[in-house]
Amino acid sequence: MTAAPVRSMSQFDAGMPDDRITLRFMAVPADVAASGATVAAGSVLEWIDKAAYACAVGWSASDTVTAYVGNVHFTRPIKPGNLVEVHARIIHTGRTSMHVLVTVETTDVRAREYSPATHCILVFVAVDDAGKPQEVPLWVPHSDVDRELQENATARLEPRKRIQTVMRSQEYTDDSTTPGTVFRFLADPADANWGGNAHGGTVMRWIDEAAFATAAAWSTVAAVAVYSGGIHFYRPIHIGHIVEVDARLIHTGKRSMHISIRVRSGSPRTPHDLHLTTQCMSIFVALGANGHAEPVEPLTLITPEDKRLDQHARDLMELRAPLVMMPVDHLRLP
């Protein structure tokens, strides 16, 4: 097997695809959450996926598919009418994968002083025309910041595998009394990517919508996402297939609601044979009039499954606790 090519800075200077990209635009009313005050987390997730996808495609010079999105921290709300910058940069490559760090910054149009709103890591896999994984050029750090980001990304590889194993091992049955929301619809042609499947960002928007419906029903329509993690994409969702998005509240903290979301899909010809395509865990809080998280009603655990999934949420918190935050405070992409 031949080694993957390494891109040099001279290739960048010659106009070859770079390892970073910035998208700049304005948040519009269509992006707003049900409360009407801030941009929906689902819209932000779509922005993140678009920027990361463009970055990954530019680096690999091939089509790519979203494999994983992790540790999306919504650190502050984005208001409609704000200017938005979404920065994406390659921070690590495997044989066929690219790890992309995305940071979202916003500002009032009059101030033009950007402040961080969220950040996360996405993993993309390069695919050929037949949809099979193909090798990508090796990314090599060129600065101390690059090296720090790559070290952080590689340190997450094993914990991510453990989290994925724990999440996939859980069973969700009808033996539960905790509230949830199920959306069921057909994947529309407008949702398609270049490969004829649903965009990863679109799937994340569906996930956020179902999770919001669950959180709002338990608290108020002022519920907002503060975290979404362990978004694993297992298989594509084909256009025209049935999509089922199942969100379930499985744990409450003093001010938090932990919601497990699973997406399944399959052919309309076999509507009872749907397969898991995506899953994740999102955390919501309910904002009061002062903009701070309000206490939420504790979740009553009745059945063995209720108690098992509550413990599952606690286990995931313990697994994620040792992870070092990405060093994004000092980042500013050119």
Side-chain angles (χ1 to χ4, degrees):
M1 181 180 296
T2 59
V6 180
R7 289 220 170 109
S8 66
M9 294 307 293
S10 62
Q11 287 177 300
F12 296 158
D13 296 338
M16 295 293 286
D18 204 345
D19 64 347
R20 62 195 67 189
I21 189 172
T22 295
L23 304 183
R24 184 180 295 113
F25 50 88
M26 181 176 287
V28 298
D31 299 319
V32 175
S35 65
T38 61
V39 171
S43 296
V44 179
L45 290 168
E46 283 192 301
W47 300 342
I48 287 170
D49 186 71
K50 286 179 180 178
Y53 174 80
C55 183
V57 167
W59 181 260
S60 64
S62 69
D63 194 15
T64 68
V65 294
T66 312
Y68 170 82
V69 182
N71 295 316
V72 188
H73 293 271
F74 298 98
T75 54
R76 69 182 193 75
I78 299 173
K79 296 181 180 180
N82 278 175
L83 285 176
V84 180
E85 285 191 350
V86 186
H87 308 286
R89 62 192 292 166
I90 303 289
I91 60 172
H92 177 64
T93 53
R95 189 177 68 85
T96 64
S97 63
M98 294 157 285
H99 296 232
V100 183
L101 171 64
V102 176
T103 58
V104 180
E105 298 181 331
T106 68
T107 183
D108 182 272
V109 292
R110 293 174 292 275
R112 301 299 177 95
E113 294 180 2
Y114 285 88
S115 299
T118 186
H119 69 273
C120 67
I121 293 178
L122 298 88
V123 179
F124 286 81
V125 175
V127 294
D128 59 21
D129 293 340
K132 301 297 183 182
Q134 68 174 32
E135 290 193 29
V136 300
L138 177 67
W139 180 80
V140 177
H142 294 287
S143 67
D144 290 340
V145 170
D146 285 351
R147 281 184 282 275
E148 186 178 5
L149 292 172
Q150 185 182 59
E151 289 171 2
N152 191 294
T154 55
R156 293 172 181 269
L157 295 177
E158 287 304 317
R160 182 181 304 146
K161 291 179 182 178
R162 290 196 294 272
I163 290 171
Q164 181 179 13
T165 299
V166 168
M167 292 181 70
R168 291 214 70 170
S169 68
Q170 293 302 309
E171 292 185 5
Y172 293 78
T173 71
D174 294 332
D175 183 30
S176 176
T177 64
T178 60
T181 303
V182 179
F183 291 164
R184 195 176 173 94
F185 50 88
L186 291 178
D188 189 87
D191 302 323
N193 59 20
W194 294 108
N197 300 312
H199 283 285
T202 301
V203 177
M204 290 192 287
R205 174 170 53 81
W206 296 338
I207 285 172
D208 177 69
E209 289 170 350
F212 167 78
T214 302
W218 188 254
S219 57
T220 71
V221 292
V224 296
V226 294
Y227 175 84
S228 189
I231 309 177
H232 292 95
F233 294 83
Y234 300 122
R235 61 173 68 195
I237 296 176
H238 303 303
I239 299 307
H241 275 199
I242 293 172
V243 179
E244 184 178 272
V245 187
D246 187 341
R248 186 184 300 185
L249 180 63
I250 65 172
H251 172 76
T252 54
K254 186 177 180 180
R255 291 182 171 81
S256 61
M257 295 165 281
H258 296 237
I259 300 170
S260 176
I261 310 100
R262 293 167 300 124
V263 183
R264 301 193 303 153
S265 184
S267 170
R269 295 175 62 87
T270 54
H272 301 295
D273 185 24
L274 304 182
H275 301 280
L276 183 67
T277 69
T278 317
Q279 70 178 147
C280 79
M281 184 75 70
S282 293
I283 301 175
F284 278 70
V285 300
L287 297 181
N290 59 3
H292 297 300
E294 294 284 306
V296 298
E297 179 184 352
L299 188 63
T300 301
L301 307 174
I302 299 174
T303 69
E305 181 160 320
D306 294 343
K307 297 173 183 177
R308 172 173 54 80
L309 291 177
D310 174 82
Q311 185 59 50
H312 171 54
R314 297 173 187 271
D315 292 342
L316 288 177
M317 284 188 282
E318 289 186 8
L319 286 171
R320 293 187 174 113
L323 294 176
V324 178
M325 292 287 288
M326 290 297 298
V328 297
D329 291 344
H330 58 286
L331 289 182
R332 193 76 174 98
L333 301 192

